[in-house]
Each structure stands twice: as structure tokens, then as C-alpha cells.
Amino acid sequence: MDLAFFGVQLLNGLQYGLLLFLIASGLTLIFGIMGIINLAHGAMYMIGAYLVWDLTMRLGNFWLAIVIAIPIAVALGLIIERLFLDTLYKRDHLYQVLLTFGLILVINEAQRIIWGGDVHSVAIPAPFDASLQLTDNLQYSVYRLFVMGVCLALAGGIYWVIRHTRLGIIIRAGAVNRDMVEGLGINVRTLFTLIFSVGVALAAFAGMIAAPLTSITPGMGDSILITCFVVVVIGGIGSIKGAFWGAILIGMAETFGPVLIPSLASMVIYLIMAAVLLVKPRGLFA
Amino acid sequence: MNNTFKKTILASLVSAGMMTSGLAAADEHPVKLGLMLPYSGTYTALGEAITNGLKLAIEQNDGQLGGRDVEYVQLDSEANPSKAPQNMSRLVKGDNVDFVIGPVHSGVAMGMLRVAKQSGAITIIPNAGLGAATNQLCMPNVFRTSFSMWQNSYPMGKVAYDQGHREVVTITWDYAGGKEDVAGFKEAFEAEGGEVVEEIFVPFPSTEFQSYLTQIASIDPDAVYTFFAGGGGVSFVRDYAAAGLKDSIPLLGSGFLTEGNVAALDGAGEGVQTTLHYAETLDNEQNQAFVEAYQEAYGKAPDTYAVQGYDTGAMLVQALDKVDGNTEDKEALIEALASVELQSPRGPMSFSESHHPIQNVYLREIQDGKHEVVGVAAEQLEVPDDACKM
């Protein structure tokens, strides 16, 4: 393996990892603070991609489509939380798992009814529709660099909110001891609604900015959900920092693993998860 | 409301009319076709296209088979292999159908074939491409009107060599369908004298291709041969073009790489060459008539799956005419089916000893968003089902 090849793969791993972080951050927020295993998280990733495809078709502008799609995603999260989850907080985890699993089926079927079963794609939007020449025969889309920038900015933003704002203090406290936070007079119900909507919107947003890089198909969120759970478990449940480093680790593993040890390609991330859990049973940062 | 009422009345009048005509045809009951196809989930479009094609062929025969009316029993296979034996049993024993038509998904086919073996039910496979169905698992009562993975990829081996490619990298999903497809290409390509320098298997159903494209670029082969389908096919072709590889390393593939999805490729597919047993642009009388009739009946252009359904219908029409609609004598019926010869929209088509189509495989190139036929990659290609002992 020469140096150029190694460098390009590093870039690939970083880009994939950063996108994974964006999806996993919402998952770990919801999981860590609300104690809810949101199986419908991947379905929201898919909804984000379909929304942006549909709106780009109608409006002819990708950026405008994103601006309109984000509030729709937040509203969807709000509706799901208030209408369904709100009544289940006092119940056992199993009920919430059942509910969010049911939501996958409902969302997937709704997707089929609204948008059908065809494969779609979104063109890479201007001004990022150019390529860089990396090696003599390999180009790299500038849009991928843009996605990396957006993911990094969001990661920084989330980190700042959690570390340096009052809301962040409440979120961190909530992740440690929910009852105590409630006892101190914080309105946990509003906090939950906020966390769930933002978490779900992060997944949908990841689907939106990933749309030009992937093909938009029914069930596209189902496989990414598993990978994101691995990220969350490796990083430590509820830890944003953990989700970040877990995502980078998995991104690198999924990039280098299949090339270096092809026979283990489909197992690599699970092997890493097992290894991490053996050493740190609660994940890297929890 | 009023409209629905009218429709109901109309429907009952029509069904009453059908009953009397049924009576007029003496005590003959209709031929029962059991359709075990996906009507929900990822493969819905395929199930519907096959059903449309099948019904069109029978409609063109006045809605009859061998002078008898036709009754359809449609069952949603959900493309779910674990439900396949149970669903098939329901059609064969519960509904007592004369023929089972299905499935789309190769996993479902495995389950169906078990029941076909036990019950002896005549089964026509209008899609599923697993080689074993007409090879290791072959049986007299099972026919296929579609393709096998091998049949569509084998001709590309010679095409690639003749185009001057000597070192090729193959890339596909790590599952039975992908492996069978790539094996067909490799067999032909290496027999010609070419070399497959690297075989890449991507975990199914991952569509994250960046690291593999980097690997391909560093190997820098003469060409790349690939099999992906559906969203994976679209992703791969777009990523391949975006990585700037398309111009320096030609992309070859099985037709399913882009079938039905040219629009989603958004120009990235221009110049990509694939081999398949059909192309919507095929220039023959039957295809033009078929495309026109299908368009008129269903308001959209047909695809490969619709043709496979259509030929299944045409096959039944011809075989049942031969036996005068007698479905009781199974042996005579199987013989009639095996000797069917069609002038299909896909070109001439007949059946091998193992009941697999002998057909042309075309080399197609995407030009202006259409699969244009460049030539015939293999004329009347027969699949060597060596393990089939009937």
C-alpha cells in the first residue's frame, strides 16, 4: 500500500465516520437522556433523504429544499414524542422498543405510499459540483469535503451547547440522574420533547446532506441503524464525545477493514465492538 | 359515493354476465393460476410488472387458456423466504391451482421448490435467477421464463476480452446472486485468456463504496466488471463516475446494474455497457407491438420483468392450446410446456432439457438515458445445467 492510497483511504474513513457521527449523535442523545431506544432513528434518516429529494424536484433548488425539510423533520419528531412516546415513559423499556419498532413499519409503509418503490437520486448541488484530482486516476467530489465540514461544525456546536450552556448542564445532569433533575424543578417533559425532536432532526438532516452522495431507496435507513447502534455502544451510551470517537473508529474500520482483511469485511465492526466491550464494558467514554 | 354505487352495480352486472357465459361453456371450470409474487416491500414493482405482463398475454388470447376461462389467485409472497413453503402449500393444496407462477426472490424460490418437489405442482419461475433452480434442484414440473445469473454474465466475458481488456477487477455483493454472476463472467473471461486480478466482495447490502473505488484506482485495471442491483446499482455507478474512474477504466456489468433505474443515474450511466436478455429498445416487430400494448394497458413503459411475465403468459397460451385445455394429464402438459417455442419481445426463445430458456443475450450501452442495443453478445445461449438429471 503506497502513501497516496493510504491518505485517500484516511479521507474516506474520516468522511464516512463524520456522517455516522451525525446520525449516531441523535441516537445517543435520546438513548442517554430519555432512556429510549429509538429504533425508528434509521427510518428518519430515510425520511430526510426522501424529503430533500421530493422538495428538490419541486423547487429545483437543493439548498432551499434543506431549509424547508429541517422544520418538517423537527415537527415530525415533536408529533411522535407528544402523541406516542409521552404516554409510555412510565412503562417498561420493552413498550418503547415495541413502539419505535412499529414506527419503522409505519414510516416505511408511508414512504412507499407517498413516494413509491423506485430508486431516486439527487444531483450534487452547485457550487460543490466539482472534483479534486487526488491521484492520476482518482477524483474526489468537493461536496464530500463540504459534508465533512458541516459534520465537524455540528459536532463542535453540539459540544459547545453541552459543555458551555445552561441547557447543556441540564442535559448532562439528566443523563446521570433523571430523578434528581426533576426534583430540582426542571421541567423534564419539555426537555424530553426538545431532545427527541432535535435527535430525530439530526438523523433526518444526515439523510438530507447524504442524499446527493447515495441512492434514495426504500429501507435505506435500516442498515445504517445497526451501524449507528454499534457506534453508540462503543462510545458509551449517552456520550456525545463517545459517539464522535466511536463514529470515527467505525468509519476507519469500515474503510480499511475490507481492503486489508477482505474475509472479515462484514464482521470487522462487530469484532471491534466486542473488543471494546471486553476492556470497557460501558463503552469508551461512559 | 354515487360513483362507488355505480361501480358496484357495474361490477355485479359484469360478474353476472361472466357467470352466464361460464354456464354456456358447459361444465368446464376455469384454469386456476396461482401467482406467488411480492406485492409489498422492496420488490413490489417487480411483482406488479410480472403480473401485468402475464395478464396482458392472456388478455390478448381473449382472456382464455386452451378455450377455458382463467381465474387468478394472487398471493403476496412478501419476498419472504421463511414464509415460502407455507404460502406455496396454500396455493397448491388450499386453492388447488393448476399452475404456480413465482417467485421474484431467489430465497423464496428455494422454499417453493421444496413444495414443488413434494406436490408435483407445475411451477413457472418468472424471475428468480439462482442457478440451482434448473440445475441441482431441477425437476420436470419446474420451468423458468427469466434468466440465470450465469446466463447474463457469461457473454460479457468474451465481450470484455474482445474489447481488448486483459486485466479486470470484479466487484459485487457478498451473497449467492452476486457470486454466481461474477463466476459466470470470470469463467468466460479467463477461458478467452484474460485475468481477473482482484475479486472484491462488499458486505450485503452496503452501498458505501468509497474505499473500494480507491482500491480499484490503485490497482488500475483495464476494466471493472460489476453486479449490483436496485439502489446499490445506482449508488455504484454514480460513485464510480464521481470518482472520475469511468473515463479511464470502462465499467461493465450485468444488465441488472442499471435495469429500471436509468433515470436515477442522472447521466452518470452514459457509456456503461451491460449484458441482459432484453432491452426496451430492441428493434423487432414483437417488441414494438408489446411495448405499445403494454403502454396502452398500464400507462407506462414495460421493463424486463414485464417481458418475463408476458412470456410466462404466452408460454401457457401455447402449451394449453396444444393439449386443448386439458390440465388433468400432467405428463402431456409438461411435455407441451417443454416444447414451447416463442417469438418473444426479447427475440426467439425455447427451453433446454433442464427447462431453462435458450435465448439471446444482448450487449447494451446507455446512451441518452436509454439502453441502446449495441449487438448480440451471445446468440441463443443455452445454460449448461450439468447437475440436472431428469
Short mmCIF file of all heavy atoms in Angstrom, two decimals, chain A residues 9-22 24 148 151-152 155 227 230-232 234-235 240-256 268-269 272 284-285:
data_model
loop_
_atom_site.label_atom_id
_atom_site.label_comp_id
_atom_site.label_asym_id
_atom_site.label_seq_id
_atom_site.Cartn_x
_atom_site.Cartn_y
_atom_site.Cartn_z
N GLN A 9 -7.60 6.74 1.58
CA GLN A 9 -8.45 5.91 2.43
C GLN A 9 -8.73 6.59 3.77
O GLN A 9 -9.82 6.49 4.32
CB GLN A 9 -7.82 4.53 2.67
CG GLN A 9 -7.75 3.64 1.44
CD GLN A 9 -9.11 3.18 0.92
OE1 GLN A 9 -10.09 3.90 1.02
NE2 GLN A 9 -9.15 2.00 0.34
N LEU A 10 -7.73 7.30 4.28
CA LEU A 10 -7.90 8.04 5.53
C LEU A 10 -9.02 9.08 5.37
O LEU A 10 -9.89 9.24 6.23
CB LEU A 10 -6.58 8.73 5.88
CG LEU A 10 -6.20 8.83 7.36
CD1 LEU A 10 -6.16 7.47 8.01
CD2 LEU A 10 -4.85 9.52 7.50
N LEU A 11 -9.00 9.75 4.23
CA LEU A 11 -10.01 10.75 3.92
C LEU A 11 -11.39 10.10 3.83
O LEU A 11 -12.38 10.60 4.38
CB LEU A 11 -9.64 11.41 2.58
CG LEU A 11 -10.37 12.70 2.21
CD1 LEU A 11 -10.02 13.80 3.17
CD2 LEU A 11 -9.99 13.11 0.79
N ASN A 12 -11.46 8.94 3.14
CA ASN A 12 -12.72 8.21 3.02
C ASN A 12 -13.27 7.83 4.39
O ASN A 12 -14.46 7.98 4.67
CB ASN A 12 -12.53 6.92 2.20
CG ASN A 12 -12.27 7.21 0.73
OD1 ASN A 12 -12.70 8.23 0.22
ND2 ASN A 12 -11.57 6.32 0.08
N GLY A 13 -12.37 7.30 5.23
CA GLY A 13 -12.78 6.86 6.56
C GLY A 13 -13.29 8.01 7.40
O GLY A 13 -14.30 7.90 8.09
N LEU A 14 -12.59 9.13 7.31
CA LEU A 14 -12.97 10.32 8.08
C LEU A 14 -14.34 10.82 7.64
O LEU A 14 -15.21 11.12 8.46
CB LEU A 14 -11.90 11.41 7.87
CG LEU A 14 -11.95 12.57 8.84
CD1 LEU A 14 -11.67 12.09 10.25
CD2 LEU A 14 -10.92 13.64 8.44
N GLN A 15 -14.55 10.86 6.32
CA GLN A 15 -15.82 11.38 5.80
C GLN A 15 -16.98 10.48 6.22
O GLN A 15 -18.02 10.95 6.69
CB GLN A 15 -15.75 11.50 4.28
CG GLN A 15 -16.94 12.19 3.66
CD GLN A 15 -17.90 11.20 3.05
OE1 GLN A 15 -17.50 10.31 2.31
NE2 GLN A 15 -19.18 11.34 3.35
N TYR A 16 -16.82 9.17 6.08
CA TYR A 16 -17.87 8.23 6.46
C TYR A 16 -18.12 8.30 7.96
O TYR A 16 -19.26 8.33 8.42
CB TYR A 16 -17.46 6.81 6.03
CG TYR A 16 -18.50 5.77 6.30
CD1 TYR A 16 -19.82 5.94 5.87
CD2 TYR A 16 -18.19 4.59 6.99
CE1 TYR A 16 -20.77 4.98 6.11
CE2 TYR A 16 -19.14 3.63 7.24
CZ TYR A 16 -20.43 3.82 6.80
OH TYR A 16 -21.38 2.87 7.05
N GLY A 17 -17.04 8.37 8.73
CA GLY A 17 -17.15 8.44 10.18
C GLY A 17 -17.91 9.68 10.63
O GLY A 17 -18.76 9.62 11.51
N LEU A 18 -17.62 10.82 10.00
CA LEU A 18 -18.28 12.06 10.39
C LEU A 18 -19.78 12.00 10.11
O LEU A 18 -20.61 12.47 10.90
CB LEU A 18 -17.64 13.25 9.67
CG LEU A 18 -16.29 13.68 10.23
CD1 LEU A 18 -15.62 14.69 9.32
CD2 LEU A 18 -16.45 14.27 11.64
N LEU A 19 -20.14 11.38 8.99
CA LEU A 19 -21.56 11.24 8.66
C LEU A 19 -22.25 10.31 9.67
O LEU A 19 -23.36 10.57 10.14
CB LEU A 19 -21.72 10.71 7.24
CG LEU A 19 -23.14 10.80 6.68
CD1 LEU A 19 -23.56 12.25 6.53
CD2 LEU A 19 -23.24 10.09 5.34
N LEU A 20 -21.53 9.23 10.02
CA LEU A 20 -22.07 8.31 11.03
C LEU A 20 -22.30 9.04 12.34
O LEU A 20 -23.29 8.82 13.04
CB LEU A 20 -21.10 7.15 11.27
CG LEU A 20 -21.16 5.97 10.33
CD1 LEU A 20 -20.13 4.93 10.76
CD2 LEU A 20 -22.54 5.35 10.31
N PHE A 21 -21.36 9.93 12.68
CA PHE A 21 -21.49 10.67 13.93
C PHE A 21 -22.78 11.48 13.95
O PHE A 21 -23.49 11.53 14.95
CB PHE A 21 -20.29 11.62 14.13
CG PHE A 21 -20.57 12.68 15.16
CD1 PHE A 21 -20.61 12.35 16.51
CD2 PHE A 21 -20.85 13.99 14.79
CE1 PHE A 21 -20.91 13.31 17.47
CE2 PHE A 21 -21.16 14.94 15.74
CZ PHE A 21 -21.19 14.61 17.08
N LEU A 22 -23.07 12.10 12.82
CA LEU A 22 -24.25 12.95 12.75
C LEU A 22 -25.52 12.14 13.08
O LEU A 22 -26.40 12.61 13.81
CB LEU A 22 -24.35 13.55 11.34
CG LEU A 22 -25.13 14.84 11.22
CD1 LEU A 22 -24.66 15.86 12.21
CD2 LEU A 22 -25.03 15.37 9.81
N ALA A 24 -25.54 9.12 14.66
CA ALA A 24 -25.41 8.49 15.97
C ALA A 24 -25.58 9.50 17.10
O ALA A 24 -26.02 9.14 18.20
CB ALA A 24 -24.05 7.80 16.08
N MET A 148 -18.08 16.93 5.17
CA MET A 148 -17.19 16.79 6.32
C MET A 148 -17.17 18.07 7.15
O MET A 148 -17.23 18.03 8.38
CB MET A 148 -15.76 16.47 5.84
CG MET A 148 -15.59 15.05 5.37
SD MET A 148 -14.04 14.80 4.47
CE MET A 148 -12.88 14.90 5.78
N CYS A 151 -20.42 18.41 9.13
CA CYS A 151 -20.46 17.47 10.26
C CYS A 151 -19.55 17.96 11.39
O CYS A 151 -19.92 17.90 12.57
CB CYS A 151 -20.03 16.07 9.82
SG CYS A 151 -21.22 15.29 8.73
N LEU A 152 -18.35 18.43 11.03
CA LEU A 152 -17.42 18.92 12.04
C LEU A 152 -18.00 20.13 12.77
O LEU A 152 -17.94 20.22 14.00
CB LEU A 152 -16.09 19.30 11.40
CG LEU A 152 -15.07 18.17 11.25
CD1 LEU A 152 -13.86 18.64 10.46
CD2 LEU A 152 -14.65 17.63 12.62
N ALA A 155 -20.67 18.97 15.08
CA ALA A 155 -20.07 18.29 16.23
C ALA A 155 -19.58 19.33 17.23
O ALA A 155 -19.84 19.23 18.44
CB ALA A 155 -18.92 17.39 15.77
N THR A 227 -25.35 -0.01 12.27
CA THR A 227 -24.01 0.56 12.40
C THR A 227 -23.99 1.65 13.47
O THR A 227 -23.06 1.74 14.26
CB THR A 227 -23.55 1.15 11.05
OG1 THR A 227 -23.85 0.21 10.03
CG2 THR A 227 -22.07 1.43 11.04
N VAL A 230 -23.91 0.32 16.93
CA VAL A 230 -22.55 -0.12 17.25
C VAL A 230 -21.71 1.09 17.69
O VAL A 230 -21.01 1.04 18.70
CB VAL A 230 -21.90 -0.82 16.03
CG1 VAL A 230 -20.43 -1.10 16.29
CG2 VAL A 230 -22.63 -2.11 15.72
N VAL A 231 -21.85 2.19 16.95
CA VAL A 231 -21.12 3.42 17.30
C VAL A 231 -21.47 3.87 18.72
O VAL A 231 -20.59 4.15 19.54
CB VAL A 231 -21.46 4.55 16.29
CG1 VAL A 231 -21.01 5.90 16.82
CG2 VAL A 231 -20.82 4.26 14.95
N VAL A 232 -22.77 3.91 19.01
CA VAL A 232 -23.23 4.39 20.32
C VAL A 232 -22.73 3.48 21.44
O VAL A 232 -22.27 3.95 22.48
CB VAL A 232 -24.78 4.48 20.32
CG1 VAL A 232 -25.29 4.70 21.73
CG2 VAL A 232 -25.24 5.60 19.41
N ILE A 234 -20.07 1.48 21.39
CA ILE A 234 -18.62 1.61 21.53
C ILE A 234 -18.28 2.90 22.28
O ILE A 234 -17.43 2.91 23.18
CB ILE A 234 -17.93 1.62 20.15
CG1 ILE A 234 -17.93 0.22 19.57
CG2 ILE A 234 -16.49 2.13 20.26
CD1 ILE A 234 -17.28 0.12 18.21
N GLY A 235 -18.94 3.99 21.92
CA GLY A 235 -18.61 5.29 22.51
C GLY A 235 -19.08 5.42 23.95
O GLY A 235 -18.55 6.21 24.72
N ILE A 240 -21.83 12.21 23.88
CA ILE A 240 -21.64 12.80 22.55
C ILE A 240 -20.18 12.63 22.11
O ILE A 240 -19.90 12.27 20.97
CB ILE A 240 -22.00 14.30 22.59
CG1 ILE A 240 -23.52 14.45 22.70
CG2 ILE A 240 -21.50 15.01 21.36
CD1 ILE A 240 -24.29 14.09 21.47
N LYS A 241 -19.28 12.84 23.08
CA LYS A 241 -17.86 12.66 22.79
C LYS A 241 -17.60 11.21 22.35
O LYS A 241 -16.87 10.95 21.40
CB LYS A 241 -17.07 12.98 24.06
CG LYS A 241 -15.63 13.30 23.83
CD LYS A 241 -15.08 13.87 25.14
CE LYS A 241 -13.65 13.45 25.39
NZ LYS A 241 -13.25 13.75 26.78
N GLY A 242 -18.24 10.29 23.07
CA GLY A 242 -18.10 8.87 22.73
C GLY A 242 -18.62 8.58 21.34
O GLY A 242 -18.00 7.85 20.57
N ALA A 243 -19.78 9.19 21.00
CA ALA A 243 -20.35 8.96 19.67
C ALA A 243 -19.40 9.46 18.60
O ALA A 243 -19.23 8.83 17.56
CB ALA A 243 -21.70 9.66 19.56
N PHE A 244 -18.73 10.59 18.88
CA PHE A 244 -17.80 11.15 17.89
C PHE A 244 -16.64 10.21 17.63
O PHE A 244 -16.38 9.81 16.50
CB PHE A 244 -17.29 12.52 18.37
CG PHE A 244 -16.39 13.19 17.37
CD1 PHE A 244 -16.94 13.89 16.31
CD2 PHE A 244 -15.01 13.10 17.48
CE1 PHE A 244 -16.12 14.50 15.37
CE2 PHE A 244 -14.18 13.71 16.54
CZ PHE A 244 -14.74 14.42 15.49
N TRP A 245 -15.95 9.81 18.71
CA TRP A 245 -14.78 8.95 18.51
C TRP A 245 -15.18 7.56 18.06
O TRP A 245 -14.47 6.92 17.27
CB TRP A 245 -13.91 8.93 19.78
CG TRP A 245 -13.27 10.27 20.00
CD1 TRP A 245 -13.55 11.14 21.02
CD2 TRP A 245 -12.31 10.91 19.17
NE1 TRP A 245 -12.81 12.30 20.87
CE2 TRP A 245 -12.03 12.19 19.74
CE3 TRP A 245 -11.65 10.56 18.00
CZ2 TRP A 245 -11.13 13.08 19.17
CZ3 TRP A 245 -10.75 11.45 17.44
CH2 TRP A 245 -10.50 12.70 18.03
N GLY A 246 -16.32 7.08 18.55
CA GLY A 246 -16.83 5.78 18.09
C GLY A 246 -17.10 5.80 16.59
O GLY A 246 -16.76 4.87 15.86
N ALA A 247 -17.70 6.91 16.12
CA ALA A 247 -18.03 7.02 14.70
C ALA A 247 -16.77 7.07 13.84
O ALA A 247 -16.69 6.43 12.79
CB ALA A 247 -18.89 8.26 14.45
N ILE A 248 -15.76 7.84 14.31
CA ILE A 248 -14.51 7.92 13.55
C ILE A 248 -13.85 6.53 13.49
O ILE A 248 -13.39 6.08 12.44
CB ILE A 248 -13.54 8.94 14.20
CG1 ILE A 248 -14.16 10.34 14.19
CG2 ILE A 248 -12.20 8.94 13.47
CD1 ILE A 248 -14.37 10.95 12.83
N LEU A 249 -13.87 5.84 14.64
CA LEU A 249 -13.28 4.50 14.71
C LEU A 249 -13.96 3.54 13.73
O LEU A 249 -13.30 2.83 12.95
CB LEU A 249 -13.40 3.98 16.15
CG LEU A 249 -12.77 2.62 16.45
CD1 LEU A 249 -11.26 2.68 16.25
CD2 LEU A 249 -13.09 2.19 17.87
N ILE A 250 -15.31 3.57 13.75
CA ILE A 250 -16.05 2.66 12.86
C ILE A 250 -15.88 3.07 11.40
O ILE A 250 -15.75 2.23 10.51
CB ILE A 250 -17.56 2.64 13.26
CG1 ILE A 250 -17.73 1.96 14.62
CG2 ILE A 250 -18.40 1.93 12.21
CD1 ILE A 250 -17.21 0.55 14.68
N GLY A 251 -15.86 4.38 11.16
CA GLY A 251 -15.64 4.86 9.79
C GLY A 251 -14.31 4.35 9.24
O GLY A 251 -14.23 3.86 8.12
N MET A 252 -13.26 4.44 10.04
CA MET A 252 -11.95 3.95 9.63
C MET A 252 -11.97 2.43 9.45
O MET A 252 -11.42 1.89 8.49
CB MET A 252 -10.89 4.31 10.69
CG MET A 252 -10.60 5.80 10.79
SD MET A 252 -9.88 6.41 9.27
CE MET A 252 -9.94 8.17 9.54
N ALA A 253 -12.63 1.74 10.39
CA ALA A 253 -12.67 0.28 10.33
C ALA A 253 -13.39 -0.19 9.07
O ALA A 253 -12.96 -1.13 8.39
CB ALA A 253 -13.35 -0.28 11.57
N GLU A 254 -14.51 0.49 8.74
CA GLU A 254 -15.29 0.08 7.56
C GLU A 254 -14.54 0.42 6.28
O GLU A 254 -14.83 -0.14 5.23
CB GLU A 254 -16.65 0.77 7.56
CG GLU A 254 -17.59 0.23 8.62
CD GLU A 254 -18.83 -0.42 8.04
OE1 GLU A 254 -19.64 0.29 7.44
OE2 GLU A 254 -18.97 -1.65 8.18
N THR A 255 -13.61 1.37 6.36
CA THR A 255 -12.86 1.75 5.17
C THR A 255 -11.63 0.86 4.99
O THR A 255 -11.40 0.32 3.92
CB THR A 255 -12.40 3.22 5.29
OG1 THR A 255 -13.56 4.01 5.49
CG2 THR A 255 -11.71 3.68 4.03
N PHE A 256 -10.86 0.69 6.07
CA PHE A 256 -9.62 -0.08 5.95
C PHE A 256 -9.86 -1.58 6.07
O PHE A 256 -9.17 -2.37 5.41
CB PHE A 256 -8.60 0.37 7.00
CG PHE A 256 -7.94 1.68 6.65
CD1 PHE A 256 -8.39 2.87 7.20
CD2 PHE A 256 -6.89 1.70 5.76
CE1 PHE A 256 -7.78 4.07 6.85
CE2 PHE A 256 -6.27 2.89 5.41
CZ PHE A 256 -6.72 4.08 5.96
N VAL A 268 -15.91 -6.90 10.76
CA VAL A 268 -14.92 -6.03 11.37
C VAL A 268 -15.49 -5.14 12.48
O VAL A 268 -14.97 -5.11 13.60
CB VAL A 268 -14.21 -5.19 10.29
CG1 VAL A 268 -13.88 -3.82 10.74
CG2 VAL A 268 -12.96 -5.90 9.84
N ILE A 269 -16.63 -4.47 12.20
CA ILE A 269 -17.13 -3.53 13.20
C ILE A 269 -17.63 -4.25 14.46
O ILE A 269 -17.52 -3.74 15.56
CB ILE A 269 -18.21 -2.58 12.64
CG1 ILE A 269 -19.45 -3.34 12.22
CG2 ILE A 269 -17.67 -1.76 11.49
CD1 ILE A 269 -20.62 -2.39 11.93
N ILE A 272 -14.65 -5.17 16.59
CA ILE A 272 -14.17 -4.01 17.34
C ILE A 272 -15.08 -3.75 18.54
O ILE A 272 -14.61 -3.52 19.66
CB ILE A 272 -14.11 -2.77 16.43
CG1 ILE A 272 -12.99 -2.95 15.41
CG2 ILE A 272 -13.91 -1.49 17.25
CD1 ILE A 272 -12.85 -1.81 14.45
N LEU A 284 -16.33 3.43 25.59
CA LEU A 284 -15.09 4.17 25.75
C LEU A 284 -15.22 5.39 26.64
O LEU A 284 -14.34 5.72 27.41
CB LEU A 284 -14.57 4.61 24.37
CG LEU A 284 -14.04 3.51 23.47
CD1 LEU A 284 -13.67 4.06 22.10
CD2 LEU A 284 -12.83 2.81 24.09
N PHE A 285 -16.36 6.10 26.56
CA PHE A 285 -16.45 7.38 27.26
C PHE A 285 -17.61 7.42 28.24
O PHE A 285 -18.23 8.45 28.44
CB PHE A 285 -16.57 8.54 26.26
CG PHE A 285 -15.31 8.76 25.48
CD1 PHE A 285 -15.10 8.10 24.28
CD2 PHE A 285 -14.32 9.61 25.94
CE1 PHE A 285 -13.94 8.29 23.56
CE2 PHE A 285 -13.16 9.80 25.22
CZ PHE A 285 -12.96 9.14 24.03
#
